[in-house]
Amino acid sequence: MKKYIFHLIVLVLLASCSQKNLTLTNNNFQIEINSNGQIKSLCDRQKMTEYFPENQISYLLSLRADGTIVHPDKLVWNEDNTSLHLTFKSINTVAQIKVEQKSTHTTFELLKIEGNSNPDLAIWGPFATTINKTVGECVGVVRNDDFAIGIQALNIKTLGGYPTNEDDTEPAYDIFASSNLVDIGDSVKVLYRGQTAKYTEFGSVLQAYCRDRSHDRIIPVWKHDNYEVPAFDDGGLTGTKIALFGCAASNALETIGKVEIEEGLPHPEIEGEWGKTANAAMASYLIQSFSEDNLDRAIELTKKAGLKYLYHGGPFKNWGHFDLQEKPFPDNWESMKRCVERAEKRGVRLGLHTLSNFITTNDPYVTPIPDPRLAKVGSSKLTSTIDENATEIVIEDPMFFNQMKNNSLHALVIDNEIVRYAKVSETEPWTLLDCERGAFNTQKDSHQKGTIISKLMDHGYKTFLTNNELSDEMAVKIADLFNYTGLRQISFDGLEGNWSTGMGQYGRTRFVKKWYDSLKPELQGKVINDASNPGHYFWHMFTRMNWGEPWYAGFRESQTQYRLMNQDFYRRNLMPCMLGWFSMSEQISLEDVEWLLARAAGFDAGFALTTSEQVVAANGLGEQLLETIAMWEQLRHAGAFSAEQKKLMENIKNEFHLVPASENSWTLYQYKIDRFEHKQKTRQPGEPVFSKFEFENTNGKQALQFILTAPDETAISNLSFDIDNFKRVGLAVNIPAKHHLKYEGGEHAVVYSPTWNKVKTVDINAGSFEVDNGSCSLIFDCKFVGESDSPVKLELKTIDEGELITL
């Protein structure tokens, strides 16, 4: 009887997924489409749970013709069970779609379009789902606790997302702006990067599209209202192809890996393991400007930090041809090859940084003869002949030349001459004013009436950019460099430069795909590559995303909230985590470094540390800092930290200290930190000038540890500490400006310079700073030797009993 009831329930559930529609199934997922081409069911076959929302309309495929998006009216499933036809009556068009049902996914490919219209967009979906717990906007996967549904573009001309922008850039969302929040009932979600998957009030949508690029267009591109985008032949809408899959939520990443292999997508491996799951994908690295002369010392620092990757932040003399700086690399690429070989022998892999398709003004693509494939905003014609000395140039149409929002070089090209101009006249005749002839060491020349004059596209870094053909060539040049030298890591910074092609994320992806395909096969699975520009198809090629810069504030403060937002982004998009770049300066403390290392352990995220031999030598703790990195990173990669410990480490307010206990064990301590400031005060005679601080000791009875930092402008002396209103400690010591006094318990405190070089030891009576568990107070006072606008900084610390960690 129970067995009968179970089968009856299953039959009812199957009926709820509708038996009248076209049903496409694989091991875990069932898609149903009705006779009008509308999705009617997205069903978990194992649990028979429906994930298509009620009262929503989703079409398998829509087209845009003459600026209007049209939906199909009729679906016919062919007798061969391999394809279907969608009829669009309003535009008298039929689209044939090949369908393949595979064990993990179902593919849809647009084979041909027949009819009287010429549609310029093919839009897959948007496919509506009820899932909104985790929405991977870049990877194109939505998940709840039980199930995942995903979309994958199966070639580079099929773009993840929706054609919101005509230039195919993805919408830019301010991650901190309240206007970019979606209320989905139980919570509010932030729109962030991409829209292959997207939050909605009913759950989410999955979407992709393809554009016909066979015609010249003038569209808005990158702050230019008018930009000439030449025709590009990639077969048009024919051939656009997607995969849809559904699986257990825990199997989403594994399923994408199977789709990659089955569909011939990039599937790079690192050290024999798929890059998206490889431990090496989260490898931290040292950034240092090495050369043939100082390479050995740079390798020593890398190994002391326990790292395997050494990265050069700026080795190039030019971008475009990627010639190396002559002094550090006298034989150009051959010098780099020798460096790679020397490093490999010592177990270190070398990498370098570039700005993708940015072209410096000293590159042979610019000077002495500009390459005709430099990206152009648009063109006009000369209305009269000019000689080589003319500083005013009259043109037919100013439309492309008077756009100044993204116009840092104010450069144009006539024949083989680059000219810079100040502005365009406000009235006819349209005149380019204050022209600098023969710019960037090109040749001044006379030019005939009717000659084409073109505005060059540039970037705020004072560089030029590329059209499609030149993008391809530069991508191949970078691959040639790696093939020749054996370099093993690259960051494609500035990938948005490929928006100069007018093709947005398509141009960006084509650049990396051209590089990837041009690598030697044996290198494709060995070169770690990342970028700060994610992308749906790019997901398959990159090892990781990695951004967060150290230049804007202190070690702990520079883009901190941004870095944390990124970790959430990585996780929901099934990427390895990375924390970005940090700068190891002469002033960095052990506490600063362990703050970073705890975050790396918590998120299981790598990081990049910029430094130099000179910085390490100048910082009094330099060698110790590198050894500390090695210790923490060894445990992180070994998976030695517990889930509970890692959760605590994700919180940037929690601080930790790791100490070796034996050859294969360590003790992890957590600090309770309180930070206070004592300012110089001017009061009436007899009025106290001390500061009183209240804090909580959540740990056992112990010596109160502290780091005291003197003001920026003046020294302090005659320090006094009153603990809990009954114990007074006086220290007759002079602390120079910016110097530190550090006490870690025991009978001595140490005065350090601003660069953590030991200056002197200060005797302390053991037990003087002892505090009980619970509420505590501290009254602090000192003498300011001079005037100071900045405060004395006081960091108070108590420490727990520690947890033993073993390998």
Side-chain angles (χ1 to χ4, degrees):
M1 182 66 180
K2 289 182 178 179
K3 186 176 181 181
Y4 170 78
I5 293 174
F6 172 77
H7 284 298
L8 180 61
I9 292 172
V10 170
L11 288 172
V12 171
L13 289 171
L14 283 171
S16 72
C17 286
S18 177
Q19 298 300 306
K20 298 178 181 179
N21 302 323
L22 171 62
T23 303
L24 304 170
T25 63
N26 53 47
N27 293 347
N28 302 293
F29 193 41
Q30 180 169 296
I31 306 168
E32 295 195 11
I33 313 172
N34 73 7
S35 60
N36 294 327
Q38 295 178 17
I39 306 296
K40 302 307 291 184
S41 174
L42 299 173
C43 196
D44 174 359
R45 292 190 67 208
Q46 301 302 316
K47 296 185 176 181
M48 297 311 300
T49 302
E50 180 60 61
Y51 287 107
F52 188 79
E54 294 183 4
N55 303 318
Q56 293 299 318
I57 297 176
S58 290
Y59 291 91
L60 174 63
L61 181 78
S62 299
L63 301 174
R64 188 179 76 174
D66 297 325
T68 301
I69 294 175
V70 294
H71 308 299
D73 306 282
K74 182 179 180 181
L75 180 151
V76 175
W77 181 241
N78 289 356
E79 294 180 358
D80 61 5
N81 291 329
T82 63
S83 65
L84 57 85
H85 286 84
L86 291 176
T87 300
F88 298 80
K89 292 181 181 178
S90 63
I91 57 173
N92 193 24
T93 296
V94 177
Q96 183 180 356
I97 298 173
K98 181 180 179 181
V99 181
E100 291 187 272
Q101 300 174 75
K102 304 185 180 182
S103 61
T104 54
H105 62 284
T106 302
T107 66
F108 301 89
E109 181 181 4
L110 182 57
L111 293 182
K112 60 183 176 181
I113 297 176
E114 297 177 319
N116 298 329
S117 67
N118 291 301
D120 66 338
L121 283 174
I123 302 170
W124 298 103
F127 303 106
T129 88
T130 59
I131 298 173
N132 60 18
K133 182 171 184 180
T134 303
V135 174
E137 65 267 49
C138 175
V139 71
V141 179
V142 297
R143 292 173 282 161
N144 59 22
D145 292 335
D146 299 318
F147 203 64
I149 300 177
I151 186 173
Q152 294 292 290
L154 298 183
N155 48 47
I156 61 172
K157 73 177 182 180
T158 305
L159 307 182
Y162 194 81
T164 305
N165 298 326
E166 287 301 304
D167 63 353
D168 295 322
T169 56
E170 293 162 320
Y173 298 117
D174 179 352
I175 61 176
F176 303 113
S178 59
S179 60
N180 290 318
L181 302 179
V182 176
D183 186 350
I184 58 172
D186 294 334
S187 61
V188 174
K189 299 295 184 181
V190 181
L191 301 176
Y192 196 36
R193 289 179 175 263
Q195 54 175 353
T196 306
K198 187 175 179 179
Y199 288 106
T200 65
E201 292 181 357
F202 55 77
S204 60
V205 292
L206 301 165
Q207 51 198 5
Y209 71 100
C210 181
R211 186 182 298 277
D212 179 8
R213 305 176 188 278
S214 60
H215 304 286
D216 294 343
R217 295 184 297 153
I218 297 178
I219 59 173
V221 172
W222 210 351
K223 298 183 180 179
H224 292 83
D225 295 330
N226 299 290
Y227 196 100
E228 285 186 335
V229 180
F232 182 72
D233 183 11
D234 62 359
L237 302 184
T238 301
T240 179
K241 186 177 182 181
I242 63 165
L244 290 177
F245 68 86
C247 63
S250 58
N251 294 335
L253 184 60
E254 178 186 357
T255 300
I256 295 176
K258 291 178 179 178
V259 172
E260 286 183 346
I261 294 171
E262 178 79 16
E263 301 301 330
L265 298 175
H267 187 78
E269 295 183 346
I270 303 173
E271 298 176 357
E273 185 178 356
W274 183 32
K276 290 300 182 293
T277 59
N279 200 300
M282 296 170 285
S284 300
Y285 55 103
L286 200 68
I287 301 176
Q288 184 176 341
S289 296
F290 60 82
S291 66
E292 283 204 88
D293 290 340
N294 72 3
L295 179 64
D296 290 336
R297 178 56 177 158
I299 291 172
E300 288 173 11
L301 297 180
T302 305
K303 293 178 72 68
K304 186 175 284 290
L307 307 179
K308 294 181 179 179
Y309 288 86
L310 173 61
Y311 190 80
H312 200 303
F316 295 111
K317 179 176 69 174
N318 53 45
W319 298 329
H321 283 71
F322 301 106
D323 297 311
L324 298 170
Q325 298 174 30
E326 294 169 357
K327 186 174 180 180
F329 305 104
D331 294 325
N332 204 8
W333 290 11
E334 187 65 33
S335 289
M336 182 63 77
K337 182 179 181 181
R338 290 195 292 264
C339 288
V340 169
E341 292 169 350
R342 286 165 56 189
E344 290 275 1
K345 289 178 180 178
R346 299 185 61 182
V348 172
R349 295 154 187 177
L350 301 187
L352 50 73
H353 195 78
T354 186
L355 267 291
S356 301
N357 73 323
F358 289 32
I359 301 176
T360 51
T361 57
N362 65 334
D363 189 83
Y365 283 134
V366 176
T367 182
I369 298 176
D371 194 290
R373 299 167 299 175
L374 292 174
K376 299 176 178 67
V377 176
S379 301
S380 184
K381 292 181 180 180
L382 299 182
T383 60
S384 60
T385 297
I386 59 171
D387 64 25
E388 64 270 21
N389 296 315
T391 58
E392 294 188 352
I393 300 173
V394 183
I395 58 177
E396 285 184 355
D397 190 340
M399 179 172 66
F400 299 110
F401 298 82
N402 59 10
Q403 302 176 104
M404 299 298 181
K405 289 182 181 178
N406 188 13
N407 187 8
S408 64
L409 290 175
H410 286 225
L412 54 87
V413 62
I414 319 172
D415 296 326
N416 290 328
E417 181 186 359
I418 295 178
V419 177
R420 300 182 73 182
Y421 67 103
K423 58 183 180 179
V424 182
S425 64
E426 296 181 359
T427 59
E428 294 186 72
W430 305 115
T431 307
L432 305 174
L433 303 173
D434 298 326
C435 295
E436 174 194 337
R437 304 297 302 277
F440 308 116
N441 294 316
T442 58
Q443 183 64 47
K444 293 182 182 182
D445 205 350
S446 58
H447 305 282
Q448 298 299 310
K449 177 181 178 181
T451 300
I452 299 294
I453 179 170
S454 301
K455 171 71 184 70
L456 291 173
M457 180 63 179
D458 60 40
H459 188 271
Y461 284 10
K462 303 295 184 181
T463 59
F464 291 114
L465 298 165
T466 57
N467 71 3
N468 269 306
E469 185 181 348
L470 190 51
S471 279
D472 286 351
E473 185 168 298
M474 283 182 61
V476 172
K477 280 186 182 294
I478 298 174
D480 289 344
L481 171 61
F482 276 69
N483 290 334
Y484 186 81
T485 62
L487 285 159
R488 297 284 292 276
Q489 184 181 346
I490 187 171
S491 183
F492 287 105
D493 198 1
L495 267 180
E496 70 276 7
N498 285 280
W499 294 346
S500 63
T501 62
M503 300 202 300
Q505 58 166 315
Y506 186 30
R508 185 179 62 188
T509 303
R510 287 187 71 257
F511 185 86
V512 182
K513 183 71 160 57
K514 191 70 175 179
W515 168 82
Y516 182 86
D517 290 342
S518 300
L519 288 175
K520 294 177 180 178
E522 62 268 25
L523 273 183
Q524 286 183 344
K526 293 182 178 180
V527 177
I528 287 179
N529 74 92
D530 62 36
S532 58
N533 265 243
H536 176 64
Y537 191 94
F538 188 19
W539 187 97
H540 302 289
M541 293 178 286
F542 65 62
T543 310
R544 62 206 180 192
M545 290 284 102
N546 184 26
W547 69 98
E549 299 178 4
W551 324 120
Y552 309 108
F555 190 86
R556 303 180 188 221
E557 293 83 22
S558 185
Q559 297 189 332
T560 303
Q561 192 61 34
Y562 188 53
R563 296 176 196 269
L564 296 178
M565 292 281 289
N566 287 338
Q567 307 319 304
D568 290 339
F569 169 77
Y570 300 143
R571 286 175 169 177
R572 67 178 178 265
N573 283 283
L574 304 172
M575 304 178 190
C577 286
M578 290 294 288
L579 288 170
W581 290 24
F582 293 82
S583 178
M584 179 181 167
S585 69
E586 298 172 358
Q587 291 81 34
I588 291 301
S589 67
L590 176 62
E591 287 76 13
D592 289 332
V593 168
E594 287 203 291
W595 177 88
L596 164 60
L597 293 168
R599 266 19 87 191
F603 289 105
D604 199 8
F607 57 87
L609 194 66
T610 68
T611 190
S612 68
E613 181 180 354
Q614 293 74 24
V615 165
V616 174
N619 189 308
L621 303 174
E623 298 285 334
Q624 181 184 352
L625 299 182
L626 296 179
E627 292 167 357
T628 301
I629 291 171
M631 178 172 59
W632 277 84
E633 286 289 274
Q634 178 188 5
L635 295 179
R636 177 173 76 87
H637 282 289
F641 298 107
S642 69
E644 293 78 12
Q645 290 167 340
K646 292 169 72 172
K647 191 66 178 176
L648 288 170
M649 291 177 187
E650 288 183 12
N651 187 335
I652 61 173
K653 295 180 180 179
N654 294 334
E655 304 208 21
F656 300 84
H657 181 47
L658 192 62
V659 178
S662 68
E663 184 177 353
N664 289 307
S665 67
W666 295 258
T667 304
L668 179 69
Y669 296 100
Q670 183 174 356
Y671 286 119
K672 170 66 168 57
I673 304 287
D674 290 280
R675 294 182 176 89
F676 303 104
E677 293 183 349
H678 172 69
K679 295 184 177 181
Q680 189 173 24
K681 305 178 182 76
T682 302
R683 300 283 173 86
Q684 61 185 356
E687 185 178 357
V689 293
F690 59 74
S691 295
K692 185 174 182 179
F693 309 122
E694 305 287 342
F695 63 97
E696 189 82 12
N697 175 19
T698 56
N699 300 302
K701 185 176 182 179
Q702 61 184 278
L704 178 65
Q705 301 181 42
F706 63 83
I707 301 175
L708 181 150
T709 303
D712 294 343
E713 302 92 352
T714 184
I716 57 174
S717 64
N718 297 342
L719 281 57
S720 68
F721 302 81
D722 283 287
I723 299 172
D724 291 333
N725 295 311
F726 77 93
K727 189 187 305 182
R728 185 178 189 280
V729 182
L731 298 179
V733 60
N734 184 76
I735 312 294
K738 299 183 181 180
H739 282 54
H740 312 283
L741 177 66
K742 185 173 182 178
Y743 179 62
E744 298 179 283
E747 298 180 347
H748 303 286
V750 179
V751 177
Y752 289 98
S753 73
T755 57
W756 295 99
N757 287 279
K758 187 174 181 179
V759 176
K760 60 182 175 181
T761 299
V762 179
D763 292 335
I764 302 288
N765 290 327
S768 297
F769 285 95
E770 196 168 79
V771 292
D772 290 319
N773 174 264
S775 298
C776 303
S777 67
L778 173 68
I779 295 175
F780 175 77
D781 201 2
C782 67
K783 178 182 178 182
F784 287 80
V785 177
E787 296 296 321
S788 176
D789 291 328
S790 59
V792 176
K793 295 181 180 179
L794 192 60
E795 180 179 299
L796 305 181
K797 303 195 292 187
T798 58
I799 195 167
D800 68 5
E801 295 179 352
E803 295 180 77
L804 191 65
I805 296 176
T806 59
L807 287 177

